[in-house]
Amino acid sequence: MGALRAGALAFLLLLLLGCLLPRRGPLRLVSGREEIKAASRSSSQPMSPSDFLDKLMGRTSGYDARIRPNFKGPPVNVTCNIFINSFGSVTETTMDYRVNVFLRQQWNDPRLAYREYPDDSLDLDPSMLDSIWKPDLFFANEKGANFHEVTTDNKLLRIFKNGNVLYSIRLTLILSCPMDLKNFPMDIQTCTMQLESFGYTMNDLIFEWLEEQEAVQVAEGLTLPQFILRDEKDLGYCTKYYNTGKFTCIEVKFHLERQMGYYLIQMYIPSLLIVILSWVSFWINMDAAPARVGLGITTVLTMTTQSAGSRASLPKVSYVKAIDIWMAVCLVFVFAALLEYASVNFVSRQHKEFMRLRRRQRRQRMEEELVRESRFYLRGYGLGPCLQPKDGAGEGPSIYSPPPASMLLREGESLRRRYIDRAKRIDTISRAVFPFTFLVFNIFYWVVYKVLRSEDIHSVP
């Protein structure tokens, strides 16, 4: 019985093994096919952006941001263009201007070329700028600048498949602009913007402008308070030579034409009215001295204040400006009107001086006649030889008789009328001479500064 049980168990085990062995082979084949399919699927999936960036410019990529592209080879050509977002705050006292721009630079870095990623370009976070090489561009005539960080850093980094890099940044700049104010306020100023490399010589880095039409773009509808920004902008090169080497530099020149509407309303027209107001004294009676003197002094002081105000917003330059000539001539005219009344008043009072002189002469003649009469009477008493005149004056009674009072009055009245007529004639002549002279000055002034000088400025390249 024991042997039968052992044989039965052995037979059952063999049956079980025979049933299981044929089924295990197909299971292994199915699992192998699934592994092959999974591997093929994993190989066809694109690389994740993080892995791609680590491979392109990470620590394991071998990229070194401290070394420029084409190291020890040809210089890197950087193409620049500018978009002007706002242009304003042109200040004459400090001779500078404020501008808000989008500065765009583009260059080729072969180390950043890729094929593993399907997109033609990659827009990266601005924090990746620290991981790549960038040109050391700075503004040569910059006096102040700041970046914009609201709401994030206003920067753009884009990498293309062929290794081109586009770097854009928003800046607010205060740039120096030396001005020639000889024709102020009818002047045209030329302000430059210079882009230069600080550390790389032209053996390593060269700046170039983009195509001329796209090198400098201006926002649509851009206006300035006092100037008109001309459409033509001169692009050029300003290569700098220092002790440390030859450095690349490019520049753009902005032509700003001043609009004189503000100065016409605030300075030219008020000063013109003040000069015309000073001429009113020519029609006021010469006997009204307080009125004419008060009007003359008021116009002179007002013109002085107006002239000082015109110079308050301008630098202390050594040459004469157009506004200075205008203000100086206007001040001369109002001062001359005040002096004109002084001359009129002086001439009108000359008859009194003349009559006073005539009375003095008559008094002297009467005294001389009295002396002669006394000599005549003393000679009758035998005292003549003692009173002989030293100069051998004529002898004999010559008694002086003063003219009658009516004659004196008529003579004084005629003299007074004569000198008053002369004074009135001065006023009459001034009424025509002053306006005519000022009109001639205006014609000469505006022709010179608005026509001749303007043509000279426009002809300068």
Side-chain angles (χ1 to χ4, degrees):
M1 291 296 291
L4 289 172
R5 289 180 180 178
L9 289 172
F11 179 74
L12 290 174
L13 288 174
L14 290 174
L15 287 175
L16 289 173
L17 288 175
C19 293
L20 293 175
L21 284 175
R23 293 178 182 177
R24 292 183 62 182
L27 287 174
R28 289 180 180 177
L29 290 174
V30 171
S31 63
R33 290 173 184 174
E34 291 178 352
E35 289 176 0
I36 292 172
K37 290 181 180 179
S40 62
R41 281 198 302 267
S42 63
S43 61
S44 63
Q45 284 182 351
M47 187 182 300
S48 66
S50 300
D51 296 337
F52 172 72
L53 291 177
D54 289 338
K55 181 181 178 182
L56 186 64
M57 61 184 71
R59 295 182 179 179
T60 59
S61 65
Y63 186 93
D64 193 345
R66 299 171 297 178
I67 301 175
R68 71 170 180 88
N70 306 324
F71 186 67
K72 294 298 183 180
V76 180
N77 292 321
V78 179
T79 304
C80 302
N81 74 305
I82 294 173
F83 181 85
I84 300 176
N85 193 33
S86 65
F87 198 120
S89 300
V90 182
T91 310
E92 289 82 10
T93 53
T94 54
M95 290 196 176
D96 54 33
Y97 67 99
R98 189 182 185 92
V99 61
N100 183 277
V101 299
F102 297 154
L103 173 63
R104 298 162 182 159
Q105 307 172 67
Q106 189 168 358
W107 67 94
N108 183 267
D109 193 342
R111 298 172 295 178
L112 297 178
Y114 62 88
R115 293 181 180 176
E116 297 86 352
Y117 207 73
D119 296 342
D120 294 333
S121 63
L122 292 173
D123 291 336
L124 304 180
D125 188 83
S127 60
M128 298 298 295
L129 286 167
D130 296 333
S131 303
I132 65 171
W133 177 89
K134 300 180 296 297
D136 59 344
L137 182 146
F138 78 102
F139 293 88
N141 59 332
E142 174 256 329
K143 299 173 67 175
N146 61 282
F147 300 99
H148 292 268
E149 300 177 350
V150 180
T151 57
T152 59
D153 291 343
N154 296 172
K155 298 177 182 179
L156 167 68
L157 176 61
R158 182 177 297 165
I159 299 177
F160 295 88
K161 217 166 192 178
N162 59 354
N164 286 345
V165 180
L166 174 62
Y167 172 39
S168 178
I169 184 172
R170 183 184 174 208
L171 300 169
T172 296
L173 306 168
I174 300 177
L175 302 175
S176 173
C177 178
M179 301 180 187
D180 185 4
L181 300 173
K182 289 187 179 67
N183 295 331
F184 180 89
M186 294 162 279
D187 53 333
I188 297 176
Q189 301 298 335
T190 301
C191 296
T192 61
M193 178 188 293
Q194 295 183 343
L195 289 69
E196 183 181 345
S197 171
F198 188 82
Y200 290 103
T201 63
M202 294 191 69
N203 296 326
D204 299 319
L205 184 63
I206 295 177
F207 288 147
E208 295 177 346
W209 286 113
L210 199 61
E211 298 178 4
E212 188 170 354
Q213 289 77 12
E214 300 180 358
V216 179
Q217 298 173 321
V218 180
E220 186 177 356
L222 178 64
T223 58
L224 282 75
Q226 294 186 24
F227 293 89
I228 292 178
L229 181 61
R230 291 187 176 178
D231 294 334
E232 62 269 16
K233 301 167 186 64
D234 300 333
L235 305 176
Y237 294 89
C238 51
T239 304
K240 302 295 182 66
Y241 298 86
Y242 302 111
N243 294 335
T244 51
K246 178 181 177 183
F247 294 85
T248 181
C249 177
I250 56 177
E251 68 177 0
V252 56
K253 294 182 179 179
F254 304 103
H255 300 285
L256 304 173
E257 184 175 357
R258 192 187 303 274
Q259 298 298 296
M260 60 174 304
Y262 169 81
Y263 299 95
L264 195 65
I265 296 172
Q266 297 293 328
M267 295 183 183
Y268 280 96
I269 293 179
S271 57
L272 174 65
L273 295 178
I274 292 170
V275 173
I276 295 175
L277 181 63
S278 67
W279 300 340
V280 175
S281 64
F282 302 152
W283 279 267
I284 299 177
N285 192 347
M286 67 180 69
D287 295 331
R292 295 189 66 165
V293 172
L295 179 61
I297 293 176
T298 301
T299 54
V300 169
L301 294 178
T302 306
M303 198 66 237
T304 304
T305 305
Q306 189 80 5
S307 178
S310 67
R311 297 189 298 268
S313 60
L314 296 175
K316 297 178 177 63
V317 294
S318 58
Y319 49 82
V320 179
K321 302 178 288 295
I323 190 71
D324 294 338
I325 295 176
W326 174 267
M327 290 296 176
V329 172
C330 290
L331 183 60
V332 168
F333 267 89
V334 297
F335 189 72
L338 180 61
L339 293 181
E340 186 271 347
Y341 176 68
S343 63
V344 168
N345 187 267
F346 176 77
V347 172
S348 65
R349 289 185 293 104
Q350 279 300 99
H351 73 280
K352 297 180 181 178
E353 297 294 332
F354 189 79
M355 293 299 296
R356 191 179 295 112
L357 179 62
R358 293 288 292 273
R359 284 196 297 268
R360 190 181 300 113
Q361 290 177 351
R362 291 193 192 99
R363 192 180 299 111
Q364 290 178 355
R365 290 180 64 182
M366 290 179 64
E367 291 176 355
E368 291 175 359
E369 292 300 329
L370 289 175
V371 171
R372 289 177 183 177
E373 290 178 4
S374 63
R375 288 173 183 167
F376 173 75
Y377 288 112
L378 290 174
R379 189 179 293 114
Y381 292 96
L383 297 176
C386 299
L387 298 172
Q388 290 292 335
K390 296 181 180 180
D391 54 356
E395 299 178 0
S398 175
I399 299 175
Y400 171 76
S401 59
S406 60
M407 184 181 296
L408 292 176
L409 289 175
R410 285 195 301 271
E411 183 181 1
E413 184 65 22
S414 63
L415 284 174
R416 188 182 69 83
R417 190 178 297 109
R418 185 189 309 166
Y419 282 100
I420 288 178
D421 290 342
R422 290 180 182 178
K424 289 182 178 179
R425 192 177 302 114
I426 294 175
D427 272 343
T428 304
I429 294 173
S430 298
R431 293 169 190 172
V433 171
F434 273 72
F436 177 76
T437 307
F438 193 67
L439 177 62
V440 171
F441 163 73
N442 270 269
I443 295 173
F444 180 77
Y445 179 87
W446 295 110
V447 167
V448 168
Y449 282 102
K450 290 298 287 184
V451 179
L452 301 180
R453 289 286 185 92
S454 180
E455 290 178 356
D456 294 342
I457 292 173
H458 284 80
S459 62
V460 174

